[in-house]
Amino acid sequence: MSMQKCPKCGELFSDTYRTCPFCEEEEAIAEGRHIKRRSGGRRMAQKDPSPVGPVLIIILILVACVLVYFFFGDSIREKMGFGSSSTPESSQVDDVTPQPPDIPEPDGSGAGSSSSGSSSGTVTMPEGGGSSSAAGGGGQTPMPSGTAITLSSEDFSFNAGESVKLTATGGTGKYTWSSDDDGIASVNASGIVTAISAGNCTITVTDGTSTATCVARVRKTPSSGGTTAPAQSLSLSSTDFTTSVGEKVTLKVNGTSDAVSWASKNSGIATVSGGVVTAVSSGTTTVTATVGGQTLECIVRVK
């Protein structure tokens, strides 16, 4: 038995059939007849391809890719040179805006601190700086006080009735003068010391912060008569003093009423006339007083 192909419908059927059973079946169906099938005449039906198979294959491939990426993704990225996609902690920059420190509000207990204690009062600021309270000034640092005060002389001698002008430098420039014994020597607001009676006293100058002192020694009034006392009793009212350019200091010879001849060894630094020494420029010189054949010297320091 062999198979042959129908030239009309193209179906294969057994050679035991004289005619194509498939064509007969179609004709019978068309005419409404029923025919008896025989072996060897079954149609080999052609089926349309099903999409289920390819879809399942695609799903399996995707699942396999996901599993491979999940287990071997990091290794694959490293081998391909992409590195880690996460940013290292060291390269992360916190976007934090710095906040100013909290400054506590002053309470009521500090309101009066600017007027208490020895450091209270107003400190003079440099030019353009205004002034601020030395204590309790809202956190401002008080300005330092001025430099130390220096006097033109720290120790001098003169006679009752005579006057010597002291010059102060440094500090704030606002000076207050005082004597610890006005019965021996007094001092006015300009620093002029006047001898009252024999004895020693201390002259003090202060600007409220710095203080300087000078010892004033008042001798007994020499006896009158117009004669020169013995040489050993003659002395100058000051033998060493410091002054400033333009200042005048009066020197006197104690122990005589005779005429005194005055001279300056360097008139470019200081000149002298009638015992009045005038400071001309900075430096040190010596003023001499000659009387009765004796010469007395006084060192003058001009700042």
Side-chain angles (χ1 to χ4, degrees):
M1 183 182 65
S2 61
M3 301 297 290
Q4 58 182 346
K5 185 177 182 179
C6 177
K8 183 177 180 180
C9 66
E11 294 287 347
L12 295 176
F13 61 94
S14 175
D15 58 359
T16 59
Y17 290 94
R18 285 180 290 180
T19 61
C20 176
F22 300 107
C23 293
E24 290 179 0
E25 183 178 3
E26 290 179 357
E27 290 176 359
I29 292 174
E31 295 176 358
R33 295 182 293 105
H34 178 70
I35 62 174
K36 185 178 179 180
R37 290 184 178 180
R38 289 174 293 181
S39 62
R42 186 171 54 185
R43 181 190 294 268
M44 297 180 67
Q46 297 181 355
K47 296 182 180 180
D48 294 331
S50 175
V52 176
V55 171
L56 290 176
I57 293 173
I58 293 173
I59 292 174
L60 291 176
I61 293 173
L62 292 176
V63 171
C65 291
V66 170
L67 292 176
V68 170
Y69 180 82
F70 180 78
F71 290 104
F72 306 102
D74 294 338
S75 300
I76 294 174
R77 284 196 301 271
E78 291 178 359
K79 291 181 179 179
M80 296 181 68
F82 291 106
S84 178
S85 61
S86 61
T87 303
E89 293 182 0
S90 60
S91 62
Q92 294 180 356
V93 179
D94 295 334
D95 185 15
V96 179
T97 303
Q99 298 294 328
D102 294 334
I103 300 176
E105 294 291 338
D107 56 18
S109 61
S113 61
S114 61
S115 61
S116 63
S118 60
S119 61
S120 62
T122 299
V123 177
T124 303
M125 300 279 284
E127 182 177 353
S131 62
S132 64
S133 176
Q140 297 182 357
T141 303
M143 295 297 294
S145 60
T147 58
I149 300 175
T150 302
L151 281 173
S152 56
S153 180
E154 296 181 355
D155 192 330
F156 67 92
S157 301
F158 57 161
N159 297 320
E162 296 178 344
S163 297
V164 174
K165 178 176 175 57
L166 293 177
T167 303
T169 56
T172 62
K174 298 179 180 180
Y175 306 123
T176 301
W177 298 85
S178 63
S179 171
D180 67 345
D181 192 339
D182 290 332
I184 296 175
S186 62
V187 60
N188 63 14
S190 299
I192 298 176
V193 183
T194 302
I196 305 299
S197 63
N200 300 334
C201 68
T202 300
I203 305 300
T204 303
V205 60
T206 181
D207 64 353
T209 302
S210 299
T211 301
T213 60
C214 173
V215 177
R217 306 178 187 275
V218 181
R219 298 188 184 92
K220 293 181 180 181
T221 304
S223 59
S224 59
T227 59
T228 302
Q232 62 270 17
S233 64
L234 297 180
S235 63
L236 281 173
S237 57
S238 179
T239 58
D240 189 338
F241 68 88
T242 302
T243 185
S244 300
V245 175
E247 295 287 343
K248 296 179 183 293
V249 177
T250 300
L251 292 177
K252 291 187 177 182
V253 178
N254 301 318
T256 183
S257 59
D258 292 344
V260 180
S261 177
W262 297 91
S264 172
K265 291 186 178 181
N266 190 341
S267 58
I269 296 176
T271 61
V272 60
S273 176
V276 178
V277 180
T278 302
V280 177
S281 63
S282 298
T284 302
T285 186
T286 301
V287 172
T288 61
T290 304
V291 58
Q294 184 178 356
T295 300
L296 306 175
E297 294 183 348
C298 175
I299 298 175
V300 179
R301 308 175 192 273
V302 181
K303 295 188 294 182

